[in-house]
Amino acid sequence: MSDQSTPTGKVVVNRAMSLDGYIAGPGDAMDWGGGRKLADYAAPEDFAKIAAATGAMLIGRRTWDVGEQMEADEPGSIDYPFTGPFFLLTHEPPDPPDPAVTYLSGDIGEAVATALDAAGGKDLEILGADVAGQCLQRGLVDEILVYVLPVLLGDGIRFSPPGLATMHLEPISSVRSGDATILRFRVRK
Ligand SMILES: NC(=O)c1ccc[n+]([C@@H]2O[C@H](COP(=O)([O-])OP(=O)(O)OC[C@H]3O[C@@H](n4cnc5c(N)ncnc54)[C@H](OP(=O)(O)O)[C@@H]3O)[C@@H](O)[C@H]2O)c1
């Protein structure tokens, strides 16, 4: 664990979202309509700044699989400028395991603590609706960062799985970034 002199980063749920509240289209499509990727919407410097503040990622198995499929279909399509450690939550790690990934399972609080520790004082990004929902439900999230994209998808994967309790958020900032709007909220605890 971190000693007291090491600053602790924030736990941040980081999402791109259509204006009508979908984080992916039907069939997990992440092209945001017309084949446009997230990086085509947000200003590159904002994207780079957020990535630079990130020290580790905690990712749900489904999100990981969608990313792998996107890379297989179109190499280079996952172009997020992040090079830190990846923690993948799954009940069934692949055989053989990917040496670049740490596989975690079980208690979400322990998984967040492990990944946050590895972030070395930077932020921990939480990726995946199910995983983020677990983190929100347990009061583990400090901030929600949403890239609101100017598209109505009409259907797909919602920001949160059904059943999440009402939560109150405190607005931090709202910034236009290219064609996206970056909203930040602090989660009230
Ligand atoms: N727009 C964006 O910015 C954005 C960001 C991230 C994801 N997405 C999209 O969101 C979708 C995926 O989200 P999702 O909610 O369906 O799934 P997810 O959160 O990515 O993954 C859920 C899976 O993770 C594993 N898992 C979760 N908690 C666990 C725990 N405590 N212990 C062990 N394993 C655990 C389970 O997989 P197993 O039991 O199968 O191992 C579970 O089915 C995809 O379409 C993705 O593209 C969009």
Side-chain angles (χ1 to χ4, degrees):
M1 296 291 289
S2 303
D3 64 44
Q4 288 185 333
S5 60
T6 307
T8 305
K10 292 169 291 185
V11 177
V12 180
V13 167
N14 181 325
R15 292 291 170 72
M17 188 183 79
S18 66
L19 184 59
D20 54 348
Y22 294 101
I23 63 163
D28 298 308
M30 291 281 287
D31 67 358
W32 304 108
R36 244 181 121 186
K37 289 176 284 203
L38 170 61
D40 299 334
Y41 286 96
E45 60 273 21
D46 292 329
F47 217 47
K49 209 158 90 181
I50 291 165
T54 301
M57 289 190 180
L58 180 63
I59 306 169
R61 173 62 180 264
R62 276 191 22 83
T63 296
W64 184 267
D65 288 349
V66 169
E68 293 272 277
Q69 191 59 52
M70 286 168 68
E71 269 297 309
D73 292 346
E74 189 189 340
S77 56
I78 304 286
D79 50 3
Y80 196 51
F82 172 77
T83 53
F86 293 110
F87 293 84
L88 173 51
L89 266 170
T90 180
H91 298 97
E92 287 180 61
D95 186 16
D98 180 339
V101 176
T102 301
Y103 298 94
L104 301 174
S105 183
D107 183 70
I108 193 70
E110 285 178 22
V112 167
T114 300
L116 186 58
D117 200 39
K122 290 186 168 185
D123 294 345
L124 170 64
E125 266 187 27
I126 307 288
L127 297 178
D130 172 77
V131 169
Q134 293 180 57
C135 293
L136 285 162
Q137 200 76 59
R138 283 275 298 273
L140 301 169
V141 178
D142 298 307
E143 280 184 23
I144 297 176
L145 185 161
V146 183
Y147 298 85
V148 180
L149 305 186
V151 57
L152 300 172
L153 287 181
D155 197 3
I157 310 282
R158 292 187 176 280
F159 181 88
S160 301
L164 203 65
T166 301
M167 285 178 202
H168 295 280
L169 311 175
E170 187 183 324
I172 299 173
S173 61
S174 164
V175 177
R176 174 78 183 269
S177 173
D179 285 346
T181 306
I182 301 177
L183 305 179
R184 281 182 186 269
F185 299 91
R186 191 170 294 115
V187 180
R188 291 211 167 112
K189 297 185 181 173

